[in-house]
Amino acid sequence: MRGISKLVVVLFAIGAMFGAASAVAATPAKKATLKVNASQKKILKSDALSVKVKGLEKGKVKLKAQSSTFDDQKLKKLAQGATVHAHGKSATALMELTSKGATAIASCEARSIVVSGKGVVKTKVDLTRNTKDCKPQPVDTSNSANCDFIGTQSDTLCLLPFPDDYYTVKDASTNTGRIVALNDAAMPQNNAAVSMAAAPYNLNDGFSPGQVITVRVPGLDTPQAFTKTNPIPINDLSRNESQTSNEPIVVIDADTHKRVPIWVELDSNATTPQSTALLIHGATQFESGHHYIVAMRNLEDANGDTLSAPAGFRYYRDELPTNDKAINDQDKRFDNLFRDLRTAKIKRASLYLAWDFTVASDENIAQRLVHMRDDAFSQLGDTNLSDGVVAGTTPSFTVDTVDTNPSTEVARRVRGTFTVPCYLTNGCQAPAVMDLDANGNPTQHGTYVANYDCIIPHAAVDDVGASPGRPSLYGHGLLGSASEVNSGPQRTLAQAHDFVFCATDEIGFASQDVANTIGILQNMGRFPELTDRTQQGLLNELLLGRLMDNPSGFLSNAAFHADGVTTASAPVINASKLYYNGNSQGGILGGALTAVSPDFTRASLGVPAMGYSTLLTRSIDFATYASILYPAYPNELSRPLVLSLVQMLWDRSEPNGYAHVMTDHPLPNTPPHEVLMDVALGDHQVTNYQAEVEARTVGASVHSPVVYDGRWPDFDIAWNIPRIQSYPFTDSAIVYWDGGPVRAEPAPDSDANNVLGTEVPPLGNIPNTTGDDPHSLPRNQAQEQQMVSDFLMPDAASKITDTCLGLACFDGGFTGP
């Protein structure tokens, strides 16, 4: 054994000796090394690339120089080739730049330079950008704990650009994986130096699906500069159809790398360029839970000169070196952002500014109202709202006033109260807010006594052939009241088509809230008082619906029977199916109500829209409230920012937060719905633009012809909304009703202007003020009422009919050109 071991050792030693000899023989000759002077300033001064070659022992080597960038990773020729001969220990080659190479070196784009040649070690270096224009500029990051500094520049505000994921942090417990994390110090202040509180916003797992993207761009702040830059305007939405055009401002869905449809505008309400914000609107809503990137490039001022990117953003765009921790902490975020933009064919070097934001989830937005609904209906004994069966009991109610034959259309008007769970502080009386539990759900604080107002038509009581009326909730107008259910159009609709309408004050946005609303406008930090109470108001409407469609509700009282004396007489309500009809604010809030309703599946939304942050400045009604808001927030740049901010809270009580789930993709335990949107062309109070955004988002189709030829020139009317091809139509729809252009009134009356008609809406974020306001015309039109009636039918019978007989739809006595 010892001898065998010795032999193995000898053989191993011999093998090792031969292996070592082979290794020595295979060692290649030592390669020469290259040292490149990567100073941008020196390269441009000599118009050549200086390369030092060390260790070239004999012969010569031909060098080539190439470069690549983040946008173009393929190596491209940078300079003319140069031959270096061996003489001594080192030699220097000057490689003359090509014309394209000189342009490349002169740009501030991050660039890798690669020099190589046979027999030398290939060298890769980063261009050192040290010319005056390209070297890093100082950026004040002292307030980086509160404000993103990428847009830091003169005449701007903290939080701009907004929305921005700089103001979110990771949170694995949320549906989006993020949570908003604003600080009070960043929030806008009123004239009393009171900041809006950040806490209510920090409960959101992202920003609004209808957020108005707000940014300040010095130089792009006049109509002349806007024309030179030429972003997609509101009247040319078809430009959104291209995914490859070189649009200066785009929004990219980072999850799909597709552009989303937008329009861009300057704030028409600003009085100076320095206080003018640039506003970017989604032409359809941003998808809940998605991640988006705003990219701005090749922006021009009024003279047509390209605007230089803000210094803070250049650190990321140009990969500039810095030891500033606040800047470096965002490197990974921007690396991902630029990769997404590259996939979307957006060049990093072209950017003026880019940032990203995350949209809140449907669950986060709807959680509170859905919890209130489920809890309140459970208290009534209905614990399975998904089955579509009206079960359990109803809220307790009183009948306080019964008016008999108050009008030619109404046989009986019944008013009273009903009791609902209260999910607000202060007994649900303004000012009141929600008290959230550990799960973020509103806690109940006793009960609240809500009012109701019902009209019962003769058609349901005492006409020949009277039959129980179809029960429908009615939603009233801006800061109005339930008494609007007794307005002329509602009485006519009730009698002509046998509806029983009931309304309750939409608290939070009712006449009883006017005084509190004034206080909110003076301190927008109190905004939860509006949106929280409005959610309670929506719950009240749902529970009023249960009084109408549950036989143990109103039908248990004689006032809702034919003789008004005994419940043994015929019922005046056909409780088999509930519906909704609302106008103006009722058409707006009705969209949110529809999205959470377990009982009615069809809603007629009169002159509707969504997104109050966009609606307000485009409404003639806003002048009254602006006279309070604007003095409280004198900084004109802060006003669009404040409106964009509060949209994040407003979403919980208006359709801007529910449009994605309003129709075909409902919330849990909620049926699908269909809506009929009747729009007044040129509406002075509710802009047509946001009605179209809502229609696109809910998947509605549009009556065609939308308007008569020539009525709305140079505008992509109902862009990307499918035209209804045939009738009857059995899905959601939007219909324009046109009272005609401005013209002299044939028989002048007491009207101040003695004109009829109106023009199409202006392009800026200001109201239409031409002619007469057509806001109330559709609901007064017999053809519109017939269309509403045909739509608000049981499932099998429901349909949208062409009451306009193949033409555009007209109202207000106008019959066409």
Side-chain angles (χ1 to χ4, degrees):
M1 291 294 293
R2 288 177 180 269
I4 293 175
S5 298
K6 185 175 182 180
L7 177 61
V8 170
V9 171
V10 171
L11 292 174
F12 178 81
I14 294 172
M17 178 177 67
F18 279 101
S22 299
V24 171
T27 301
K30 185 177 180 181
K31 290 187 176 183
T33 60
L34 305 175
K35 184 176 181 181
V36 179
N37 188 328
S39 166
Q40 182 188 43
K41 186 183 293 186
K42 290 185 177 180
I43 295 172
L44 292 173
K45 184 176 181 180
S46 61
D47 199 30
L49 190 66
S50 176
V51 181
K52 182 175 287 188
V53 184
K54 290 185 177 182
L56 185 62
E57 297 177 352
K58 59 181 180 178
K60 61 183 179 179
V61 60
K62 186 171 183 178
L63 302 177
K64 65 178 180 178
Q66 300 170 293
S67 73
S68 65
T69 65
F70 179 88
D71 290 329
D72 190 352
Q73 297 182 306
K74 183 179 179 180
L75 286 170
K76 291 187 176 179
K77 186 176 181 179
L78 183 68
Q80 304 296 342
T83 301
V84 177
H85 296 267
H87 52 83
K89 292 185 178 180
S90 65
T92 299
L94 286 177
M95 307 181 72
E96 183 182 353
L97 297 176
T98 65
S99 60
K100 290 183 178 180
T103 300
I105 292 295
S107 78
C108 297
E109 188 174 6
R111 183 172 299 276
S112 294
I113 299 172
V114 178
V115 181
S116 60
K118 188 175 181 180
V120 298
V121 176
K122 181 164 62 174
T123 297
K124 180 178 180 180
V125 296
D126 292 331
L127 177 69
T128 302
R129 276 114 352 120
N130 54 10
T131 60
K132 181 180 179 181
D133 291 335
C134 295
K135 67 182 181 181
Q137 301 297 316
V139 175
D140 183 5
T141 61
S142 61
N143 197 27
S144 61
N146 301 311
C147 310
D148 193 352
F149 44 82
I150 60 167
T152 298
Q153 49 212 342
S154 61
D155 305 317
T156 192
L157 288 176
C158 183
L159 291 189
L160 295 184
F162 187 84
D164 184 352
D165 263 351
Y166 188 85
Y167 307 113
T168 65
V169 294
K170 290 182 178 179
D171 188 332
S173 68
T174 69
N175 289 289
T176 65
R178 305 199 71 81
I179 196 78
V180 174
L182 293 162
N183 293 324
D184 287 351
M187 303 293 277
Q189 291 185 341
N190 65 5
N191 58 352
V194 177
S195 296
M196 295 170 62
Y201 300 85
N202 293 344
L203 299 176
N204 290 37
D205 63 2
F207 300 97
S208 169
Q211 200 86 58
V212 180
I213 301 168
T214 307
V215 60
R216 164 87 181 124
V217 183
L220 180 49
D221 45 22
T222 65
Q224 295 79 11
F226 190 87
T227 299
K228 288 287 186 181
T229 297
N230 192 27
I232 297 173
I234 195 170
N235 62 327
D236 197 6
L237 295 181
S238 60
R239 281 169 54 180
N240 284 291
E241 293 166 11
S242 172
Q243 289 288 321
T244 58
S245 59
N246 195 34
E247 294 292 350
I249 299 176
V250 295
V251 178
I252 304 295
D253 187 330
D255 299 320
T256 65
H257 300 112
K258 298 292 185 181
R259 299 184 192 181
V260 298
I262 60 168
W263 84 78
V264 185
E265 63 187 4
L266 294 175
D267 180 11
S268 300
N269 298 285
T271 59
T272 67
Q274 293 74 24
S275 60
T276 298
L278 186 76
L279 308 176
I280 305 169
H281 301 265
T284 187
Q285 280 199 311
F286 303 119
E287 292 285 346
S288 60
H290 280 223
H291 176 216
Y292 291 90
I293 301 171
V294 184
M296 311 175 77
R297 53 189 176 165
N298 304 319
L299 308 185
E300 297 181 14
D301 64 15
N303 297 319
D305 296 326
T306 301
L307 298 177
S308 299
F313 177 65
R314 282 199 56 233
Y315 276 93
Y316 303 109
R317 184 195 70 179
D318 299 338
E319 299 179 87
L320 299 177
T322 179
N323 293 321
D324 192 317
K325 185 177 183 300
I327 296 175
N328 292 333
D329 282 349
Q330 295 292 313
D331 281 345
K332 184 176 180 180
R333 172 193 172 198
F334 277 94
D335 285 346
N336 292 333
L337 180 151
F338 292 129
R339 280 194 291 269
D340 283 328
L341 287 178
R342 182 170 62 191
T343 301
K345 310 299 182 186
I346 304 294
K347 290 188 175 182
R348 179 177 188 162
S350 69
L351 293 169
Y352 168 85
L353 193 62
W355 72 96
D356 59 347
F357 66 94
T358 300
V359 176
S361 66
D362 292 326
E363 295 84 355
N364 179 270
I365 293 171
Q367 175 183 347
R368 301 177 192 182
L369 184 52
V370 169
H371 170 78
M372 292 160 59
R373 178 199 70 179
D374 292 352
D375 186 50
F377 276 75
S378 177
Q379 292 181 41
L380 297 178
D382 194 343
T383 58
N384 184 9
L385 298 182
S386 63
D387 62 7
V389 176
V390 174
T393 61
T394 68
S396 61
F397 70 97
T398 65
V399 173
D400 299 335
T401 304
V402 178
D403 297 328
T404 302
N405 296 322
S407 67
T408 57
E409 305 93 351
V410 176
R412 195 175 302 146
R413 183 180 180 187
V414 184
R415 284 168 284 182
T417 65
F418 62 108
T419 302
V420 299
C422 171
Y423 295 92
L424 301 175
T425 58
N426 199 32
C428 278
Q429 299 292 340
V433 293
M434 291 176 179
D435 180 15
L436 304 179
D437 64 19
N439 296 316
N441 293 319
T443 56
Q444 183 178 346
H445 294 285
T447 58
Y448 172 74
V449 178
N451 69 326
Y452 72 83
D453 195 332
C454 298
I455 59 171
I456 303 168
H458 292 285
V461 177
D462 51 20
D463 278 356
V464 176
S467 61
R470 285 171 281 174
S472 176
L473 294 166
Y474 180 70
H476 63 70
L478 179 64
L479 290 166
S481 69
S483 63
E484 293 174 29
V485 74
N486 194 45
S487 62
Q490 293 312 118
R491 296 197 309 267
T492 302
L493 179 59
Q495 171 62 9
H497 300 282
D498 199 10
F499 282 100
V500 173
F501 287 110
C502 291
T504 183
D505 287 358
E506 294 174 330
I507 65 168
F509 237 169
S511 56
Q512 58 182 278
D513 294 285
V514 170
N516 198 59
T517 301
I518 291 172
I520 293 171
L521 291 168
Q522 294 170 326
N523 176 9
M524 292 295 277
R526 293 175 53 189
F527 200 79
E529 295 173 18
L530 186 152
T531 189
D532 285 5
R533 196 161 185 262
T534 303
Q535 289 173 77
Q536 177 72 45
L538 294 174
L539 175 67
N540 297 352
E541 288 188 271
L542 294 178
L543 293 172
L544 175 59
R546 271 297 162 100
L547 284 167
M548 300 184 76
D549 67 1
N550 189 326
S552 66
F554 283 153
L555 289 180
S556 67
N557 189 281
F560 292 91
H561 286 260
D563 65 9
V565 177
T566 172
T567 57
S569 62
V572 299
I573 296 176
N574 180 349
S576 63
K577 189 72 175 179
L578 180 69
Y579 305 96
Y580 178 84
N581 175 246
N583 286 297
S584 193
Q585 180 183 287
I588 297 170
L589 297 185
L593 187 73
T594 299
V596 296
S597 172
D599 288 356
F600 67 82
T601 58
R602 283 180 178 75
S604 167
L605 307 178
V607 285
M610 66 182 187
Y612 271 107
S613 58
T614 300
L615 290 173
L616 289 178
T617 60
R618 284 182 154 90
S619 174
I620 57 171
D621 298 323
F622 185 58
T624 300
Y625 307 104
S627 67
I628 303 167
L629 176 67
Y630 286 1
Y633 291 86
N635 184 327
E636 291 186 335
L637 196 57
S638 74
R639 296 168 186 170
L641 173 60
V642 167
L643 293 179
S644 184
L645 268 166
V646 298
Q647 188 63 62
M648 295 170 62
L649 306 185
W650 224 331
D651 281 350
R652 301 186 191 278
S653 60
E654 68 120 314
N656 196 78
Y658 296 87
H660 286 113
V661 295
M662 190 188 300
T663 54
D664 297 331
H665 306 285
L667 292 163
N669 300 322
T670 310
H673 300 88
E674 293 174 359
V675 295
L676 170 61
M677 303 170 62
D678 284 312
V679 177
L681 179 63
D683 198 322
H684 293 189
Q685 298 180 53
V686 180
T687 177
N688 298 156
Y689 301 134
Q690 286 300 107
E692 289 198 2
V693 173
E694 183 172 7
R696 278 187 283 270
T697 303
V698 304
S701 297
V702 65
H703 171 76
S704 179
V706 183
V707 296
Y708 67 81
D709 288 346
R711 178 63 165 123
W712 203 345
D714 304 318
F715 184 78
D716 294 330
I717 187 169
W719 173 79
N720 207 32
I721 302 176
R723 271 48 177 173
I724 296 174
Q725 298 299 313
S726 63
Y727 288 94
F729 185 69
T730 57
D731 205 342
S732 297
I734 178 173
V735 180
Y736 271 94
W737 294 86
D738 184 6
V742 176
R743 59 201 184 278
E745 191 171 356
D749 53 24
S750 59
D751 289 350
N753 54 13
N754 287 320
V755 297
L756 297 174
T758 192
E759 300 306 333
V760 297
L763 300 182
N765 60 331
I766 55 176
N768 186 10
T769 57
T770 63
D772 263 354
D773 184 5
H775 184 67
S776 63
L777 294 183
R779 75 191 79 164
N780 281 283
Q781 187 70 25
Q783 290 90 334
E784 189 266 1
Q785 292 191 2
Q786 182 66 58
M787 190 179 290
V788 168
S789 177
D790 292 342
F791 179 65
L792 299 184
M793 289 282 189
D795 293 355
S798 174
K799 55 189 178 297
I800 296 173
T801 55
D802 183 9
T803 59
C804 303
L805 304 177
L807 301 175
C809 294
F810 303 121
D811 59 14
F814 181 67
T815 58

